[in-house]
């Protein structure tokens, strides 16, 4: 682990020396400040473009880094202009590059020349995006004046009223924050009570009918009531249709496949008894045969197995022993 404590010698006086660097006669930046008395600071500088060295005439690519001597040489308004003096790594020559705050670029001052790599769009069949001539005036002074007038009108008619409206709205909401906060908290408490009561009702319903805890119940309103009623009516109609279809199917099966005992009874009762009163007697006979057939069928299904008795195990065993 790196130690952060410092050793203070016995003869160190903070009022006299101020810091350990001044006590040892060193600068805080170390060897980089060896020319700080001349206003020069050693910094790491990277070439912003390709250059040709003026001493050895060798090409130095963009991005090559040097330990440059950084020095302030002037100001452009309140922006300082810095000079970077570097020594070529291919020879003993020095070159100097300065900042140009006016044009936001770097400029080679001495010892080298910049490689010209500017691309002119007009020479290559394109159009200039930005106007490079600072001395060229506007093409149409009236158009420039109209543009400035439109901007001023837009600011007066649109932007300023909008800002004033926003300021008034901000003053309205920030005039009495306590009352606004009180109103909001009161509304929140009321809504919280309503939600709590609804949750209690839902939990009671779930526990009563054994519904899962993760089931989300909808709020009871007119729309949900009408929808539930429609679903209930639809399910009731479907159940009634299924029950009627089942009844028709059972009646058809009984009429097509009669039982043996009911066939004999119906044949005996449906035999012709005479020529007089044939129509009334036939209807009564058919009804009586149908009732007897249903009764016999139900008795055969339910009572057939009930009449069977298990064998008498004790009597059987006794009979086997006493047989002669």
């Amino acid at each position: 682990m790196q130690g952060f404590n410092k050793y203070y010698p016995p003869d160190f006086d903070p009022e006299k020396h101020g810091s350990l660097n001044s006590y040892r006669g060193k600068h805080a930046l170390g060897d980089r400040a060896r020319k700080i008395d001349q206003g020069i600071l050693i910094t790491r500088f990277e070439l912003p473009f390709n250059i040709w060295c003026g001493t050895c005439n060798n090409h130095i690519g963009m991005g090559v880094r040097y330990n440059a001597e950084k020095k302030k040489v002037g100001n452009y308004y309140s922006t300082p202009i810095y000079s970077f003096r570097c020594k070529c790594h291919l020879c003993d020559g020095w070159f100097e590059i300065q900042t140009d705050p006016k044009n936001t670029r770097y400029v080679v001052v001495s010892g080298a020349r910049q490689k010209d790599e500017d691309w002119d769009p007009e020479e290559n069949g394109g159009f200039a995006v930005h106007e490079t001539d600072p001395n060229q005036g506007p093409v149409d002074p009236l158009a420039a004046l109209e543009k400035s007038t439109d901007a001023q009108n837009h600011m007066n008619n649109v932007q300023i009223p909008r800002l004033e409206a926003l300021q008034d709205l901000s003053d309205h909401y920030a005039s009495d924050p306590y009352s606004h906060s009180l109103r909001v908290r009161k509304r929140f408490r009321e809504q919280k009570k309503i939600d709590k009561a609804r949750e209690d009702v839902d939990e009671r319903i779930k526990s009563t009918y054994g519904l899962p805890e993760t089931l989300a119940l909808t709020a009871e309103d007119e729309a949900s009531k009408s929808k539930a009623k429609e679903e209930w009516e639809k399910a009731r109609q479907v159940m009634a249709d299924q029950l009627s279809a089942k009844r028709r199917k059972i009646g058809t099966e009984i009429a097509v496949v009669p039982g043996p005992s009911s066939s004999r009874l119906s044949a005996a009762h449906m035999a012709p008894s005479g020529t007089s009163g044939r129509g009334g007697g036939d209807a009564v006979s058919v009804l009586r045969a149908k009732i007897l057939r249903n009764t016999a069928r139900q008795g055969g299904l339910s009572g057939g197995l009930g009449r069977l008795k298990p064998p008498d195990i004790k009597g059987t065993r006794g009979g086997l022993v006493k047989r002669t």
Side-chain angles (χ1 to χ4, degrees), residues 15 18 23 27 30 32 46 48 63 83 96 110 117-118 128 152-153 186 199 202 239 245 249 256 261 282 290 309 314:
E15 296 181 357
Y23 171 80
H27 197 273
R32 294 173 54 194
E46 182 176 337
S83 171
E96 184 178 354
S110 62
E117 294 180 338
D118 293 338
Q152 186 69 23
N153 294 334
K186 181 179 179 181
E199 290 179 0
D202 293 345
M239 186 179 295
K249 183 178 179 181
V256 172
S261 59
D282 292 342
K290 191 175 294 186
K309 295 182 179 180
K314 295 182 180 180

Side-chain angles (χ1 to χ4, degrees), residues 80-101:
I81 299 175
Y82 293 102
S83 171
F84 299 92
R85 187 169 179 266
C86 309
K87 184 179 180 181
C88 179
H89 67 286
L90 301 174
C91 64
D92 295 334
W94 291 79
F95 59 89
E96 184 178 354
I97 298 177
Q98 290 184 2
T99 59
D100 186 9

Side-chain angles (χ1 to χ4, degrees), residues 10 21 27 34 58 68 84 125 144 165-166 176 180 211 225 235 276 302-303:
N21 291 325
H27 197 273
R34 61 179 179 271
N58 287 322
F84 299 92
L166 292 175
D176 190 3
H180 294 296
L211 300 178
K225 288 182 180 179
S276 62
S302 60

Side-chain angles (χ1 to χ4, degrees), residues 175-227:
S175 59
D176 190 3
Y178 177 75
S179 60
H180 294 296
S181 177
L182 185 64
R183 184 169 58 255
V184 171
R185 286 186 285 111
K186 181 179 179 181
R187 186 184 308 168
F188 174 74
R189 284 194 296 268
E190 294 176 355
Q191 185 65 29
K192 188 176 181 180
K193 291 180 181 179
I194 296 174
D195 296 341
K196 181 63 177 176
R198 186 180 302 166
E199 290 179 0
D200 295 340
V201 173
D202 293 345
E203 292 296 334
R204 195 181 305 112
I205 293 175
K206 291 179 182 179
S207 61
T208 302
Y209 294 99
L211 300 178
E213 295 293 336
T214 57
L215 180 63
L217 301 179
T218 58
E220 185 177 359
D221 52 1
E222 296 298 332
S224 60
K225 288 182 180 179
S226 60
K227 185 176 180 180

Side-chain angles (χ1 to χ4, degrees), residues 51-72:
I51 64 172
W52 299 93
C53 180
T55 304
C56 61
N57 202 23
N58 287 322
H59 177 267
I60 304 176
M62 178 179 61
V64 179
R65 297 177 181 179
Y66 293 95
N67 293 329
E69 297 179 354
K70 179 181 178 182
K71 184 178 180 181
K72 182 180 178 181

Side-chain angles (χ1 to χ4, degrees), residues 4 26 84 130 135 150 203:
F4 294 97
K26 295 183 178 180
F84 299 92
H130 302 286
N135 298 324
D150 293 340
E203 292 296 334

Side-chain angles (χ1 to χ4, degrees), residues 97-108:
I97 298 177
Q98 290 184 2
T99 59
D100 186 9
K102 181 179 180 180
N103 300 315
T104 63
R105 55 176 300 180
Y106 290 90
V107 179
V108 178

